[in-house]
Amino acid sequence: MERFDVLIIGGGPGGYSLGIAAAKQGMKAALFEKEHLGGTCLNVGCIPTKYLVDKALAIEKVRALVKKDIFRDAGTFSFKKIQAGKSEVTSKLVDGVRFLLQKHGVEIVTGEAVLKKDRVVACGGKEYQGKYVVIATGSQSMMIPIPGHELCIDSTGALNLQTLPQSMVVMGGGVIGLELACAFAAYGTEVTVVELMPELMPREQREAVRIVRKDLERQGIRLLTDAKMLRVERTASSLKAVYVQNGKESSVDAEQVLMAAGRKPNLSGIDAGALGLAMNGKFIAVDNHQRTNLEGVYAIGDVVGGYQLAHAAYAEGEAALSDMQGKDEPYGTVPVPVCTYTIPCFASVGLTTEAAKEAGFEPCLGSFDYSANGMALAEGASGSVYVVMDKASKTTLGVTIVGENASEMIAFAADAVRDKLTLEQWQRMIVAHPSLCEMVREAALDAFGISVHKG
């Protein structure tokens, strides 16, 4: 039985990054992956979705310029070429991950791994012994067992469509559903979103969510909130999605029905009962160092719940590796930014005004609109920035940005929330002009009524 310092089950963002980091620090590491290096994120999640959204955003910007008579027409596009470009980018990134793992000496074992007791992993007829084991098996699309669910496609199916559907019903108004709804709507698909909750993004800043909803509807996306999907039926020419809203049963005909109702942890090869592995509902239970209740066994990423985001998995992997080396660097002490790549993009970090009140703060909300920013006007971008400050201590509690480049600006904002930036520090900050980032500072100052550029 070959022995390693660390055995990592799962080659997604959390798993592969931990493997590379461990190897760079002199640890002998092996990584087990049954499908594709890069996991859901690189292959059928973050990257391919963002590729589709990016091209859709370009189409939307051209259309806006046509309306202003700057461009004469919106032109044509090839959906097949877009899909081919998406596959090319994905392949390049996956090859890059493989190169890095091999460069740093991480042994890649292809096949489904099975975790046994005493940190033994079986795969391909061989057994491997680890001083430490990291479970990073990720998650998979969740299909709700309504009648006709077998007629639906999941996000992977939607990303791999080779012909553009004329119409699509999206079941679920969460991150995955809204991102794909925006992309397909921009390409010309008639999109209807059926969401069970009364509102979209219920945990986010309400003012910002209203902007998103208005923009989605402007793009022609039909939003049916507080609506429950009952069944999917096949008709002579298409599919029929039957739902109930306000006690009334209705239906929508569509060429495709996308089920984007969330994800569930992938526990293939992990028999929690036989191992005595403690669970937190359907997720693996961990502490803030990512330790499970089994000696020397850690879990990171989607399989532990929480923020099911690639960058959260990176951070969780770093916390686990630090713990193996005897360092006290727990996960969860730094705020995690959350991005939804809709059109426009939505990004947030820290507390909303409602969450701040629940936490015992007296929040004051500052805002700044893209329409008052020089760079936004030059780029034809719209949106708004919101900063939540604590009235008593005058420190930064949260930031929400809805608009172009929100996912880039949120990194700057995340530092402000992490460091509890004070009003005085915002005042002393110099931000490059012209830039969209100026709006974050202006919104923070506006929380106390001292923004210079807000009317």
Side-chain angles (χ1 to χ4, degrees):
M1 188 185 300
E2 193 171 358
R3 298 180 182 276
F4 291 81
D5 293 314
V6 58
L7 302 174
I8 305 154
I9 305 175
Y16 82 69
S17 62
L18 189 152
I20 294 168
K24 291 181 88 168
Q25 295 185 33
M27 298 176 74
K28 185 180 180 183
L31 183 143
F32 302 85
E33 175 52 53
K34 67 177 181 178
E35 291 184 286
H36 309 289
L37 289 174
T40 294
C41 178
L42 266 63
N43 293 279
V44 291
C46 315
I47 302 303
T49 301
K50 303 322 171 273
Y51 187 93
L52 293 188
V53 171
D54 176 73
K55 304 306 169 280
L57 180 60
I59 292 169
E60 287 289 286
K61 292 197 75 170
V62 170
R63 285 176 182 152
L65 292 171
V66 170
K67 289 181 180 179
K68 293 181 178 181
D69 292 328
I70 294 174
F71 283 15
R72 292 193 176 182
D73 59 66
T76 59
F77 65 91
S78 168
F79 186 67
K80 286 186 177 180
K81 289 288 187 181
I82 290 172
Q83 288 289 50
K86 176 209 71 180
S87 298
E88 183 180 336
V89 167
T90 297
S91 295
K92 183 176 181 179
L93 288 170
V94 170
D95 289 344
V97 168
R98 184 180 300 278
F99 168 77
L100 290 173
L101 289 166
Q102 292 173 338
K103 176 183 177 181
H104 296 291
V106 178
E107 183 166 334
I108 303 170
V109 184
T110 303
E112 182 167 6
V114 177
L115 179 60
K116 297 186 174 183
K117 291 187 176 182
D118 301 319
R119 300 179 304 283
V120 172
V121 174
C123 185
K126 292 179 61 177
E127 290 189 339
Y128 305 77
Q129 175 72 62
K131 182 178 180 181
Y132 302 107
V133 169
V134 179
I135 302 169
T137 46
S139 63
Q140 55 191 333
S141 295
M142 186 165 57
M143 297 296 281
I144 306 300
I146 60 172
H149 71 274
E150 69 280 359
L151 302 173
C152 303
I153 57 173
D154 60 9
S155 58
T156 301
L159 288 168
N160 290 326
L161 289 172
Q162 292 305 304
T163 57
L164 194 62
Q166 291 185 345
S167 54
M168 176 183 287
V169 169
V170 179
M171 178 180 169
V175 173
I176 298 169
L178 291 181
E179 289 182 355
L180 289 173
C182 283
F184 281 98
Y187 296 139
T189 301
E190 185 178 297
V191 178
T192 300
V193 176
V194 180
E195 167 56 37
L196 183 63
M197 299 294 289
E199 293 292 338
L200 300 176
M201 304 178 177
R203 297 180 181 177
E204 300 290 356
Q205 191 70 42
R206 292 293 86 202
E207 293 84 350
V209 175
R210 282 195 287 271
I211 293 174
V212 170
R213 177 157 193 152
K214 183 179 179 180
D215 279 333
L216 294 178
E217 292 172 337
R218 179 187 55 77
Q219 293 165 46
I221 298 172
R222 184 184 180 197
L223 298 172
L224 302 175
T225 51
D226 206 9
K228 181 180 181 180
M229 190 80 83
L230 298 178
R231 61 187 180 275
V232 178
E233 303 171 352
R234 187 180 294 283
T235 66
S237 58
S238 62
L239 299 175
K240 177 181 288 187
V242 183
Y243 64 93
V244 60
Q245 186 183 42
N246 299 323
K248 180 183 177 181
E249 187 172 303
S250 303
S251 65
V252 182
D253 290 335
E255 187 177 331
Q256 295 284 357
V257 176
L258 165 61
M259 191 172 286
R263 299 182 66 81
K264 61 181 179 180
N266 179 16
L267 295 172
S268 179
I270 311 295
D271 189 335
L275 293 166
L277 179 65
M279 302 294 290
N280 179 18
K282 59 184 178 180
F283 299 101
I284 296 175
V286 294
D287 64 12
N288 59 7
H289 293 275
Q290 304 306 126
R291 296 179 291 219
T292 70
N293 66 311
L294 304 180
E295 182 68 28
V297 178
Y298 298 78
I300 64 173
D302 287 7
V303 78
V304 302
Y307 290 105
Q308 291 184 299
L309 303 166
H311 49 280
Y314 290 147
E316 290 165 353
E318 291 168 3
L321 183 58
S322 293
D323 191 67
M324 294 174 200
Q325 298 172 335
K327 301 175 185 176
D328 185 21
E329 297 176 359
Y331 167 75
T333 57
V334 176
V336 178
V338 178
C339 299
T340 303
Y341 294 86
T342 43
I343 300 175
C345 183
F346 189 103
S348 64
V349 64
L351 302 178
T352 63
T353 48
E354 288 302 313
K357 290 175 185 176
E358 292 173 5
F361 295 102
E362 186 180 354
C364 45
L365 181 67
S367 65
F368 198 85
D369 197 85
Y370 274 48
S371 62
N373 175 264
M375 182 63 84
L377 288 171
E379 294 181 347
S382 63
S384 196
V385 180
Y386 299 90
V387 176
V388 180
M389 302 283 288
D390 176 38
K391 188 174 183 179
S393 63
K394 296 185 179 179
T395 55
T396 308
L397 301 176
V399 178
T400 299
I401 306 170
V402 54
E404 194 163 320
N405 283 331
S407 60
E408 301 297 329
M409 288 190 284
I410 205 66
F412 160 48
D415 280 350
V417 175
R418 179 199 63 197
D419 297 338
K420 297 181 175 60
L421 219 62
T422 65
L423 175 61
E424 182 183 358
Q425 288 172 314
W426 280 115
Q427 288 176 294
R428 295 172 58 193
M429 181 185 297
I430 299 175
V431 184
H433 173 80
S435 71
L436 297 179
C437 285
E438 291 178 275
M439 292 185 288
V440 184
R441 177 178 181 270
E442 293 283 0
L445 299 181
D446 181 59
F448 294 93
I450 58 174
S451 167
V452 172
H453 294 95
K454 182 172 179 177

